[in-house]
Structure formats: C-alpha cells, structure tokens
Amino acid sequence: MTGAHRAAPATKYLTVSALGFTTAASIVTSLRGLPMMAKEEMTMFFYIGFSTLLFLIPAGLVAAELGSMYAAKAGGLYAWISGAFGKKVGFAIIFLSWIQVIVFYPTGMSFAAAGVAFALDKPDLAQNHTYVGIFAIVAFWVCTAVAFVSNQFALKVTRLGFLAGTALPGLVLVGVFLWWISTGHAVGWEHTTDQAVTVAHDGHDSPRFFPYIAGLSGLAFLAGILLNFAGVESQGVHSTELKNPAKGYPAAIMIAAAVAFGIFTLGALAVAGIVPYDKIDLNTGVFDAFSAGFREMIHSTWPVRILAALIAYGALAGILAWIMGPSRGVLATAHDGMLPPVLQKVNDRGVQTNILLIQAVVVTALSSIYLFMDDVSSAFFLISAMAVSLYLIIYMVMYAAAIRLRYTQPELPRAFKIPGGTVGMWLFAGIGFLAVAFAFILAFVPPSQLPIGNKATYIGLVAGGAIVFCAIPLIIERMKKPSWIPSDEVKAKALGPSADPA
C-alpha cells in the first residue's frame, strides 16, 4: 500500500474514566486530611457535602471551560486570569498559587514525619515539635534534590507514591474499620459528650449531623477541610483531550467528586469510629486508628510500621508532585518577563533550579513554626489556615475571570462550555464564589476544637501571612524592568530539555 493510500493514524482520546481518576488523584494527594474530618464526627457529612457540591463541582466545571479556551497556551491559571484581567493580575494569581503550595508543604511534611515515627515504632516522636520541625526541613530539601533530576523522574516517583502510599493504605484502613464494627467494638462517635459534635436526647447522647453553631469558631474547620478538595482545576486543561468534552468532562468531574467523596468519607469515618473523639490528633489520627485496630485484631501492631512507611512515602510523593507543578507556572511568568533573569534559570534537564531553591528556603522558614509551638496539631492547623486563605483568593479570582470572559470574549471557542448560557455560568461560578468567600472568612477564625491559645495572635498570624504574601507579587510587578524579558534561547532551553527521559 502506498503512502498516499495509507490510513491516517486514529486520534487518541483521553477516556472519561481516565480523566476522572486522574483528577481524583490530584485532589486526594495523601491521607493527611482524614483526622481533620474525623474531628467533626458525623458533622463531617455536612462539611464534605458542602465541599463537594458547592466547591469541587463548580470549580471543576469552571476550570474545564477556562482550560478549553486556553488549551493552546502554557501556564494554566496564568493564561486564564491574564485573559480576563491582564498579565498583572495573572502574575499575582499564579504567584499566589505557588506561594500557597509553599505554605502547605510543612503540613504535608509533618504528616510524613508522623509516618516515619510510627514506622520506627516510636509514635511519641510524632508529637515532638522539635522532631517534626527538623524532619520537615530535611525531608523537603531531599524532595527538592529529587526534583532536580528531571520532571519525568519526579512523575514516576509520585505515581508509585499515590498507589502504594495513599490508595493501598486507604483501602486497608477501611477494611480494618469494617472488621472493627462487625466484631462489636465500641464506635468512637457514640461515646463523646462534646456539644460541638454531640446532642442530648432524652438523657442519651447521639452524634450531630449538622454543626453546632454558637459562633463562627464552630465552623472553622470548614476552611481546612475545603483545602483537602482543592486541586481539581489542575486537570481542567485536559478537557479538550476527550472525544466529546461537552458531555465527557462533566462526567469526569462527577467521577472525581465521587472518588474523592468516597475516600475522604470512608477514611474519616474509619478514624472517627476507631479512635475516641478526645484522642483524635490532626497529625497522627490515621496511624492511631491503624494501631488501635491491629492491636485488637491480631494483638500486635507490626503491620502499622509497614503501612506507616508507605503512607510517609505517599505523603512525600504528593509533596514532590506539587514541588514541580506550580513552580513550572512561575517559570512561565518568568519567561514572560514578569520575574528577574535569576528566576529564569534551568538546569540541563529543564528543571527550574533557582525557583526550587527559593521555594526550599521559604519552606524551611515556615517549617520552623513547629520548633516554637509545643502543640503540633495547633501548628498544623495554623499553617493550613495560612495556605487555605491564599488558595481561596485564587479560586475567587478564577470564578470572577470565568464570568468576565463570557462578556469580554464570548466569541473565543470553548470545547467545553458550562450549560445554561450566561445564567448557567453565573449560577455555577456564583455558587462557587460565595462558598469560597464564606470559607475565606472562616480561615481567620480559630477553631473551638483546638487549644489555639491567644486568638488575637492566631488571627494576626493568618491575616498577616495573607497580606504579606499578597503584597509580594505587587511589589515585584512594580520593580519589573524591560531587561527581564528573556531571549528565545533561554526560553528554548527551558522548554526543550524538560522532556529528557530520567
């Protein structure tokens, strides 16, 4: 057969299920969020339902439309926001996206530190704030060194980490819980008198299914739980790779939402059911559940050491994935002349070395909080609150950009378009914006369930962190110089070698 008659190669489309599970994996990066949800006992259904219906689904659909509009442009959020509000705002948002991930890293590292402590059969170490702080700093520099190898090598490490360190232990945790309740063991949420999660009926205590609201402090965990569902927008750019984006992407989002809802709900139920309410620790709750379960099941905790090692690896792999992702977006802004030449540097494999080094220095400073706060759970939540406040700003701007683009660029092709015209966009983006705005307010409220200490100090640290980090990109933009625009050779070096195999 001649070349003229040879059939054209068939287009390879991404399947709906593949994109759905990939999106779910970008949301569920580790099991670290389960204890925070478990701390709410049965009211977790309210928080998880809120996060899924009013945040996860609207964010996924809005990201799909924006991703399909700018599929040919690199930078993700940077391209989307720049299209709506200009490059200055786009730069500020992608910079905040990078910063919020940096702020998040110490919480992920503290969870990995707890995993290593249990793997070494020294669980008390997980509550030692000095150990957690030192581990977080050292482990992050190790992850940064791994990231220097190449993007492809980092991806291989993270894929294995999700399967072995998140999915497998999660299934085992649910299995242990099913054994726990089937053998008649006491269920944690049935034995608590804390009015935040329990209500009295006819002299008997029963779990609440709706939060006890005596003030905003009773809802403060919502902001932290919402952060566990973040990340759906990272896969929106792939909507155009589906055969029928208009029908396929909403289905993929529903799959991702169902998987995330299932993992978070079943996992949090397992922790809440096995560990007594007053013993649930935000950093070690998952490992405590494993220890209690296996101690009753086989009168030994040796499997916990193996599972803890896997979970620690999974947490570090999740950190590694985020180390590479947002920093690449920052590199895209650098190549657009928004950052000085020192941040445009890449190594022979196209890895953004100086950006990663600066990232590691900032994480080192933030992780030092553990060295000065005796209560690891409180430090964990404080750092999470800083991260979530920044991330929620990003989502609010993303929703606003989607609405604005319907008016300013209605003619721009959209492979996926939120149904219902302008009304549909206002409905989904509007609901998402209001939900995120409410959670943003809660990020500054100390939770009633934790010994935060001085409330004014807590609010000052979270608000101060948000203000400082938001100001940094504005200051950098004011300092921008024409000499920052890189040559084509510099751009080519960053884009070309990044595909080198590990």
Side-chain angles (χ1 to χ4, degrees):
M1 181 180 292
T2 64
H5 295 87
R6 190 172 296 154
T11 302
K12 291 185 178 180
Y13 293 105
L14 193 63
T15 65
V16 171
S17 60
L19 183 55
F21 283 103
T22 299
T23 303
S26 69
I27 299 168
V28 189
T29 55
S30 77
L31 302 179
R32 70 180 179 85
L34 300 185
M36 184 179 291
M37 297 180 193
K39 197 72 175 175
E40 290 299 327
E41 301 288 356
M42 292 298 95
T43 63
M44 75 173 72
F45 289 106
F46 166 81
Y47 291 103
I48 295 175
F50 181 100
S51 300
T52 302
L53 297 176
L54 302 184
F55 173 70
L56 179 58
I57 292 176
L61 295 177
V62 167
E65 177 164 325
L66 293 174
S68 69
M69 292 172 64
Y70 295 96
K73 292 187 177 182
L77 271 172
Y78 176 58
W80 306 350
I81 305 303
S82 296
F85 300 115
K87 288 186 177 181
K88 291 182 180 179
V89 180
F91 168 68
I93 292 303
I94 196 64
F95 193 89
L96 282 185
S97 176
W98 178 48
I99 289 294
Q100 72 80 23
V101 174
I102 290 178
V103 177
F104 144 80
Y105 289 137
T107 66
M109 287 297 171
S110 70
F111 183 64
V116 171
F118 276 82
L120 296 173
D121 200 24
K122 296 182 180 295
D124 291 344
L125 269 181
Q127 296 302 331
N128 185 310
H129 63 102
T130 303
Y131 158 74
V132 172
I134 293 174
F135 178 94
I137 293 169
V138 174
F140 192 82
W141 280 98
V142 171
C143 287
T144 299
V146 173
F148 279 172
V149 177
S150 77
N151 294 323
Q152 285 65 41
F153 179 70
L155 286 174
K156 292 176 183 177
V157 174
T158 56
R159 278 197 297 265
L160 181 58
F162 174 73
L163 293 174
T166 299
L168 177 60
L171 290 173
V172 174
L173 178 61
V174 173
V176 170
F177 174 58
L178 291 176
W179 174 87
W180 183 272
I181 58 176
S182 67
T183 51
H185 285 78
V187 179
W189 60 74
E190 294 179 349
H191 301 280
T192 175
T193 57
D194 191 317
Q195 65 178 359
V197 295
T198 305
V199 61
H201 280 302
D202 300 325
H204 299 284
D205 294 323
S206 58
R208 291 180 180 274
F209 285 87
F210 191 81
Y212 173 71
I213 304 176
L216 288 179
S217 62
L219 290 171
F221 269 150
L222 175 60
I225 290 174
L226 207 66
L227 184 62
N228 291 315
F229 286 82
V232 64
E233 79 285 349
S234 65
Q235 303 301 323
V237 294
H238 296 299
S239 63
T240 53
E241 298 175 34
L242 296 168
K243 189 172 185 179
N244 187 344
K247 293 182 178 179
Y249 192 75
I253 289 298
M254 293 305 171
I255 290 173
V259 171
F261 180 88
I263 292 176
F264 285 139
T265 303
L266 293 176
L269 276 174
V271 174
I274 297 174
V275 183
Y277 178 77
D278 59 350
K279 299 294 184 182
I280 297 176
D281 183 272
L282 298 190
N283 204 35
T284 66
V286 171
F287 310 107
D288 293 334
F290 275 128
S291 297
F294 281 111
R295 192 178 294 116
E296 290 292 316
M297 184 187 297
I298 62 174
H299 307 294
S300 176
T301 58
W302 66 262
V304 179
R305 300 180 66 175
I306 298 173
L307 290 166
L310 290 174
I311 291 172
Y313 169 50
L316 293 176
I319 293 290
L320 182 59
W322 283 97
I323 282 177
M324 298 304 297
S327 60
R328 292 295 291 182
V330 174
L331 183 64
T333 68
H335 289 158
D336 222 358
M338 307 298 289
L339 289 171
V342 68
L343 295 180
Q344 299 167 12
K345 183 180 178 181
V346 296
N347 64 14
D348 292 338
R349 297 247 178 156
V351 177
Q352 54 280 14
T353 50
N354 285 351
I355 290 176
L356 294 184
L357 287 174
I358 291 176
Q359 179 173 268
V361 170
V362 177
V363 171
T364 298
L366 288 172
S367 297
S368 298
I369 291 177
Y370 288 117
L371 300 176
F372 301 103
M373 288 189 71
D374 292 338
D375 190 302
V376 174
S377 282
S378 296
F380 183 102
F381 190 85
L382 171 62
I383 297 173
S384 294
M386 287 184 183
V388 78
S389 65
L390 298 177
Y391 213 162
L392 295 177
I393 291 172
I394 295 166
Y395 276 105
M396 284 189 279
V397 176
M398 185 183 80
Y399 288 130
I403 293 173
R404 178 174 172 78
L405 287 168
R406 279 291 185 98
Y407 292 94
T408 60
Q409 298 187 39
E411 76 290 343
L412 200 64
R414 293 161 167 84
F416 170 79
K417 193 172 184 179
I418 291 177
T422 304
V423 174
M425 172 57 78
W426 273 100
L427 179 64
F428 282 100
I431 288 174
F433 184 94
L434 291 175
V436 166
F438 179 60
F440 179 74
I441 295 172
L442 294 179
F444 298 91
V445 180
S448 58
Q449 299 93 326
L450 287 178
I452 292 298
N454 188 292
K455 293 182 178 181
T457 301
Y458 173 89
I459 295 171
L461 286 172
V462 177
I467 293 171
V468 169
F469 288 132
C470 286
I472 291 174
L474 301 179
I475 295 173
I476 293 174
E477 204 282 327
R478 290 292 298 270
M479 297 170 59
K480 185 175 63 175
K481 300 177 181 178
S483 60
W484 289 6
I485 299 175
S487 64
D488 292 339
E489 182 180 354
V490 172
K491 292 182 180 180
K493 183 179 180 183
L495 296 176
S498 62
D500 286 350

